Amino acid sequence: MIEPFLSAVPVLKRLEEAGFEAYFVGGSVRDFLLHKPISDVDIATSATPKEVKRVFPKTVDIGIEHGTVLVLFGQKSYEVTTFRTDGAYEDFRRPKEVSFIRNLTEDLKRRDFTMNAMAMDKTGQLIDPYNGQLAIKEKRIQTVGNPKDRFHEDALRIMRAVRFVSQLSFHIEEHTMRALKELAPLLKNIAVERKKAEFDKLLIGKGWKEAITILLETNLYCYLPGLQNQKKQIEKLLSYNSEKLTKNEMWSLLLFCLQQDPQSTETFLRDWRFSVHDIKEILRILAYVERRLVQEWSLYDLYKAGRATIQSVEKLFLVINGLDEVSRIAQLLDQYDRLPIKDRKDVDVTGSDLMEWFGLNGGPWLKEMLVKIEQAILAGKVRNDKQEIKEWLKPCSQN
Ligand code: ATP
Ligand code: MG
């Protein structure tokens, strides 16, 4: 066995010593078999949350109603979830209630896809009642049981299937695909936050083009915020070859294809429940991309944009123009690093200095003059030194 499972084996052992069953389950087992980096290991157990809390001194209640307790153990934390079946589903969303059970196979049965419905014990032995290993070998995404029933129970699974196409470069099994097409409208009932979590992962996956193509072919895109009626624009996205773009860069590229004004872009991002931080970042990237498409970077633009935005914008500029000149990004960042100032705070002169020197009150002139000073410093016309700036300003004030 390998890390991060190894460190978690004692957690399974403790539960077993207390008389319960415990296994690794879900995405970590799948990724282990795929030789992919393993993020978090999830643990499933026959112990109820109360019993789990009795076994471990340090726990946090993070989802008791779903049977999940966070166990703090040896500097790490593990989500330990009681075997459960999901009760009646309401409106194609998550179940209102879950029932705790003592049987692993039943727990695996409620999981979405066969590749995600395997368990591994502390010795590395696999428990695979739904042939998940074969599905992984054949790169197949297939629901556990009847796909229509499973998508009716929780329509997010439709989105998850497409997300896994992108993330794993797997294909969707025929019946699962047919059900997905037929039941695409059920996605209407799913909370935007849950759709976004899947779409984020879809956008940064290796197979994003295949996944986007499926969204278009199945009309799933019609049930995603701001994307209905945008088929042509989404197809435009498929014409770009982008690798190694970050999540927000991919969203920016998608928004670039939608060609909306900044106000509509902001509404789009709000509808998708983006954080204020991400909205700002994406709007900024898009504004500089538009600028970059009509002109080269000026020193002042580099200064105003800042390192992270320069990098994102230039990456997108190369993608949009189908260029493969990544060295340009390093050159620009180097140029940025050598700028004598990076922020207005770095300027050796303040607004109060200027008001004092010119004997004037604040007003628009102040901002204009500060910009002039910034530009002069950046262009090397004056050193970033209070006295030198004062001297330099003298002839300026006469014209
Ligand atoms: P990732 O690598 O992105 O974390 P994951 O498969 O681990 O992928 P999670 O959302 O972490 O996805 O879910 C953990 C496990 O819980 C899944 O592997 C699956 O067994 C089960 N699961 C998650 N969401 C659903 C769902 N909507 N319906 C049924 N089972 C689900
Ligand atoms: Mg996971």
Side-chain angles (χ1 to χ4, degrees):
M1 210 176 304
I2 55 161
E3 284 298 349
F5 295 111
L6 273 182
S7 307
V9 165
V11 177
L12 302 192
K13 282 197 175 146
R14 288 220 180 168
L15 284 161
E16 288 183 2
E17 281 157 18
F20 305 106
E21 287 181 43
Y23 303 90
F24 298 118
V25 286
S28 59
V29 178
R30 178 198 68 222
D31 290 343
F32 170 62
L33 294 174
L34 280 165
H35 308 290
K36 286 200 174 244
I38 297 151
S39 43
D40 38 288
V41 298
D42 291 326
I43 295 170
T45 180
S46 60
T48 63
K50 252 193 194 158
E51 289 165 338
V52 172
K53 286 164 75 168
R54 245 181 266 143
V55 173
F56 298 96
K58 285 189 207 152
T59 60
V60 184
D61 293 358
I62 52 168
I64 290 269
E65 65 288 0
H66 297 112
T68 306
V69 174
L70 192 72
V71 169
L72 309 179
F73 188 89
Q75 316 297 326
K76 295 196 181 144
S77 60
Y78 302 96
E79 281 189 21
V80 177
T81 305
T82 306
F83 295 158
R84 59 176 225 223
T85 55
D86 296 334
Y89 283 82
E90 282 206 331
D91 304 336
F92 322 107
R93 272 176 267 157
R94 280 187 278 205
K96 203 168 83 183
E97 47 172 25
V98 301
S99 320
F100 299 141
I101 49 170
R102 299 281 186 185
N103 181 300
L104 171 70
T105 315
E106 278 300 303
D107 177 86
L108 295 177
K109 192 175 175 184
R110 64 142 177 114
R111 294 173 183 272
D112 50 4
F113 305 110
T114 58
M115 63 181 182
N116 290 341
M118 290 176 284
M120 187 167 78
D121 74 8
K122 62 175 189 301
T123 68
Q125 188 79 27
L126 285 172
I127 297 94
D128 181 16
Y130 306 104
N131 287 321
Q133 288 172 90
L134 186 63
I136 286 180
K137 197 166 150 236
E138 296 177 357
K139 298 179 182 288
R140 168 162 45 82
I141 300 164
Q142 179 169 10
T143 53
V144 176
N146 182 311
K148 278 201 203 173
D149 295 345
R150 304 309 311 282
F151 291 155
H152 262 290
E153 286 170 0
D154 180 2
L156 184 76
R157 292 170 188 155
I158 295 176
M159 210 46 209
R160 283 174 61 86
V162 187
R163 177 262 274 205
F164 284 120
V165 167
S166 174
Q167 213 174 29
L168 306 176
S169 294
F170 277 25
H171 66 275
I172 300 175
E173 176 273 336
E174 195 186 322
H175 294 94
T176 303
M177 185 63 134
R178 215 177 296 150
L180 184 149
K181 256 187 202 159
E182 187 182 322
L183 301 178
L186 293 184
L187 217 57
K188 271 192 276 215
N189 309 298
I190 298 299
V192 175
E193 289 81 355
R194 297 180 80 205
K195 291 184 202 176
K196 178 170 186 292
E198 299 303 325
F199 205 76
D200 277 344
K201 290 183 180 172
L202 184 159
L203 284 176
I204 55 170
K206 267 210 167 74
W208 69 268
K209 282 197 185 190
E210 285 71 26
I212 295 279
T213 304
I214 293 173
L215 289 184
L216 289 171
E217 283 172 1
T218 56
N219 287 335
L220 271 174
Y221 74 98
C222 298
Y223 308 99
L224 299 175
L227 292 181
Q228 44 301 47
N229 312 318
Q230 302 279 17
K231 189 165 190 180
K232 279 256 150 10
Q233 288 81 344
I234 303 171
E235 278 168 352
K236 175 93 186 128
L237 183 65
L238 293 175
S239 70
Y240 294 127
N241 290 319
S242 72
E243 268 177 52
K244 303 198 186 113
L245 290 187
T246 64
K247 176 167 68 77
N248 281 355
E249 288 163 1
M250 275 305 284
W251 278 101
S252 302
L253 187 63
L254 170 62
L255 277 157
F256 173 76
C257 295
L258 299 187
Q259 283 292 315
Q260 295 167 334
D261 58 72
Q263 191 54 53
S264 312
T265 300
E266 191 171 338
T267 306
F268 175 98
L269 293 168
R270 280 185 200 285
D271 288 348
W272 271 99
R273 310 280 191 273
F274 273 81
S275 67
V276 174
H277 173 273
D278 283 351
I279 293 179
K280 261 192 170 160
E281 179 174 318
I282 293 171
L283 287 173
R284 206 172 147 74
I285 291 174
L286 282 168
Y288 277 102
V289 163
E290 292 295 345
R291 206 173 159 79
R292 178 68 185 94
L293 287 170
V294 291
Q295 63 185 58
E296 282 286 341
W297 287 95
S298 68
L299 288 174
Y300 191 68
D301 283 345
L302 289 176
Y303 165 76
K304 289 304 269 184
R307 211 168 199 285
T309 307
I310 297 169
Q311 180 156 17
S312 294
V313 170
E314 197 62 16
K315 275 164 88 179
L316 287 170
F317 174 78
L318 295 176
V319 167
I320 290 167
N321 286 296
L323 299 171
D324 189 22
E325 299 163 28
V326 278
S327 60
R328 283 167 62 146
I329 300 171
Q331 278 166 19
L332 280 169
L333 293 177
D334 190 46
Q335 208 176 355
Y336 173 78
D337 290 340
R338 284 187 279 112
L339 294 179
I341 47 172
K342 301 286 191 294
D343 191 280
R344 173 146 302 168
K345 291 198 302 288
D346 301 337
V347 178
D348 203 21
V349 162
T350 63
S352 341
D353 291 332
L354 294 176
M355 289 193 280
E356 193 189 312
W357 294 345
F358 289 90
L360 292 169
N361 290 327
W365 70 273
L366 199 57
K367 190 165 181 250
E368 278 165 32
M369 188 160 291
L370 275 166
V371 171
K372 216 164 161 181
I373 295 169
E374 287 173 310
Q375 286 177 330
I377 295 171
L378 290 165
K381 288 185 187 153
V382 60
R383 258 179 8 105
N384 185 24
D385 173 89
K386 198 166 183 161
Q387 275 315 312
E388 289 195 23
I389 295 170
K390 194 174 178 183
E391 287 303 311
W392 177 80
L393 280 172
K394 273 184 190 155
C396 280
S397 63
Q398 287 152 14
N399 50 46

